[in-house]
Amino acid sequence: MSTAETVIVSPMEFSTSETQQMIADTLRKFGKEYILPHMMEWDESQKFPVEVFKKLGELGFMGVLVPQEYGGAGFGYFEYITAIVEISKIDGSIGLSFAAHNSLCTGHIMQFASEEQKKKYLPKLASGEWIGAWGLTETGTGSDAGNMATTAVKDGDQYIINGAKNFITHGISGDISVVMARTGEKGDSHGMTAFIVEKGTPGFTSGKKENKLGMRASETAEQIFTNCRVHKSQVIGKEGDGFVQALKVLDGGRISIASLALGIAKGALEASIKYSKERKQFGKSISEFQGIAFKISDMATKIEAAELLIYQAGDRKNKHLSVTKESAFAKYYASEIATEVANDAVQIFGGYGYTKDFPVEKFYRDAKLCTIGEGTSEIQKLVIAREILK
């Protein structure tokens, strides 16, 4: 037997812990009090409710994965997944912003920043005092991030950043942004550098806020850099490490989006089960009709499969193992089934499912972003194929 064949990996254990149950209960109550009464108002007006995230920070949820020494909760990925799912079962917009803050901006600093940078920024992010943003995507280079146009040119002890980032969560409201800029040649995986840029830095402004189909209470906007001077002390890691760092951050971020999709799907299923039992046709509940019962069976099976893939990725993340393939599995499958489950939910509700008086039309609109953000489904297939075929 080869060494590889004799390696023993500890079994995955997905039973809900007391901590996870506590998190779920806390966020369920929080959602009913602070999110549910206002979410359609926020959706219609596209208001980003900063106050909700300040309250989540007070409860310790804005730094779920951040070690306690930096003011965070110090939890692992199972607890993090639970938190995203519970929030997203109520409102995907809040779930998306929660995930972006925790896994992208905060996650990047936590994984790759210096000790001095961690001590300076993580407590503010973990407490919710500051909202985090993460700037990678550009108008012309979505999945092709290696050819980004935003540049950072060294000038003594400073870097001068010029360019723009697009589709940035918290692009306007973010107090701090981790920004990737090109310090080398286009296409060079070691030609990009990550910078911490604080709101109010001269030359750093916000641009267009996107008018979106779904996730409308999660702010998505452009970031603009015009001769923005950033001191070298704001570089995360070494010059040229930004792109490699970003790919690793995205591995964890895909678990976040998969969890977001799972929460949306679970919310749609729960609403469908409740409605199907209450809705009467031909003298009985529509849940008694095989056509509806089979839809609910399919929805539940897809959700169960997605959940297992997500917890498999979370388990590997907790064990500090590579999750490139597993996070792509989870993100691809969970986001695709979320759109299918939400679609079936609208169908179960019939005409009412197409109105804003019932929750499933919002689940339907919100779910679609999960197949696009942090790597489209097509990109996930590429990642999976490369991992399998290498």
Side-chain angles (χ1 to χ4, degrees), residues 157-174:
D157 286 342
Q158 296 184 321
Y159 286 84
I160 304 173
I161 304 176
N162 280 286
K165 298 292 178 178
N166 198 25
F167 297 131
I168 307 304
T169 305
H170 314 145
I172 297 170
S173 299

Side-chain angles (χ1 to χ4, degrees), residues 122-138:
L122 287 180
K124 292 181 179 180
L125 289 164
S127 67
E129 179 186 347
W130 280 13
I131 301 294
W134 195 72
L136 177 66
T137 303
E138 296 182 5

Side-chain angles (χ1 to χ4, degrees), residues 265-299:
K266 283 192 169 191
L269 175 62
E270 289 179 8
S272 297
I273 291 170
K274 183 175 183 291
Y275 180 79
S276 70
K277 289 179 177 179
E278 295 172 350
R279 174 70 167 166
K280 306 289 184 181
Q281 289 285 274
F282 306 104
K284 57 183 178 180
S285 300
I286 63 171
S287 62
E288 297 179 53
F289 292 103
Q290 193 177 74
I292 300 298
F294 279 11
K295 274 192 187 300
I296 289 173
S297 296
D298 286 340
M299 293 159 77

Side-chain angles (χ1 to χ4, degrees), residues 217-244:
S218 177
E219 179 185 277
T220 305
E222 186 181 30
Q223 291 181 327
I224 300 170
F225 301 88
T226 308
N227 294 324
C228 176
R229 287 184 170 270
V230 178
H231 193 266
K232 65 180 182 180
S233 62
Q234 298 302 95
V235 171
I236 299 178
K238 297 177 182 178
E239 180 179 311
D241 285 351
F243 187 65
V244 176

Side-chain angles (χ1 to χ4, degrees), residues 169-324:
T169 305
H170 314 145
I172 297 170
S173 299
D175 299 285
I176 178 178
S177 185
V178 173
V179 179
M180 270 55 68
R182 188 162 52 80
T183 48
E185 296 300 316
K186 281 190 176 184
D188 179 4
S189 61
H190 293 283
M192 284 159 277
T193 302
F195 298 88
I196 299 174
V197 187
E198 295 182 23
K199 188 175 186 176
T201 301
F204 176 32
T205 57
S206 301
K208 177 189 176 186
K209 179 180 177 180
E210 301 296 340
N211 185 6
K212 300 176 296 182
L213 168 72
M215 304 288 196
R216 289 167 61 85
S218 177
E219 179 185 277
T220 305
E222 186 181 30
Q223 291 181 327
I224 300 170
F225 301 88
T226 308
N227 294 324
C228 176
R229 287 184 170 270
V230 178
H231 193 266
K232 65 180 182 180
S233 62
Q234 298 302 95
V235 171
I236 299 178
K238 297 177 182 178
E239 180 179 311
D241 285 351
F243 187 65
V244 176
Q245 292 173 4
L247 291 180
K248 291 178 180 177
V249 169
L250 286 171
D251 278 348
R254 284 165 181 159
I255 298 174
S256 301
I257 299 301
S259 304
L260 169 64
L262 178 64
I264 291 170
K266 283 192 169 191
L269 175 62
E270 289 179 8
S272 297
I273 291 170
K274 183 175 183 291
Y275 180 79
S276 70
K277 289 179 177 179
E278 295 172 350
R279 174 70 167 166
K280 306 289 184 181
Q281 289 285 274
F282 306 104
K284 57 183 178 180
S285 300
I286 63 171
S287 62
E288 297 179 53
F289 292 103
Q290 193 177 74
I292 300 298
F294 279 11
K295 274 192 187 300
I296 289 173
S297 296
D298 286 340
M299 293 159 77
T301 302
K302 290 171 184 176
I303 286 171
E304 193 78 9
E307 192 159 28
L308 287 169
L309 285 172
I310 292 166
Y311 275 100
Q312 172 183 251
D315 182 66
R316 289 184 64 85
K317 193 74 173 170
N318 281 341
K319 293 171 180 173
H320 306 289
L321 299 171
S322 170
V323 294
T324 301

Side-chain angles (χ1 to χ4, degrees), residues 309-376:
L309 285 172
I310 292 166
Y311 275 100
Q312 172 183 251
D315 182 66
R316 289 184 64 85
K317 193 74 173 170
N318 281 341
K319 293 171 180 173
H320 306 289
L321 299 171
S322 170
V323 294
T324 301
K325 179 178 68 177
E326 288 76 14
S327 65
F329 276 152
K331 200 272 186 187
Y332 168 51
Y333 186 74
S335 63
E336 289 294 330
I337 69 100
T339 63
E340 294 169 12
V341 168
N343 181 62
D344 283 342
V346 172
Q347 200 69 18
I348 288 170
F349 274 74
Y352 291 115
Y354 205 65
T355 72
K356 293 184 182 292
D357 294 328
F358 290 83
V360 292
E361 69 85 28
K362 186 174 184 303
F363 288 130
Y364 183 75
R365 288 187 289 110
D366 287 348
K368 185 57 191 171
L369 179 70
C370 298
T371 69
I372 299 169
E374 292 195 37
T376 62

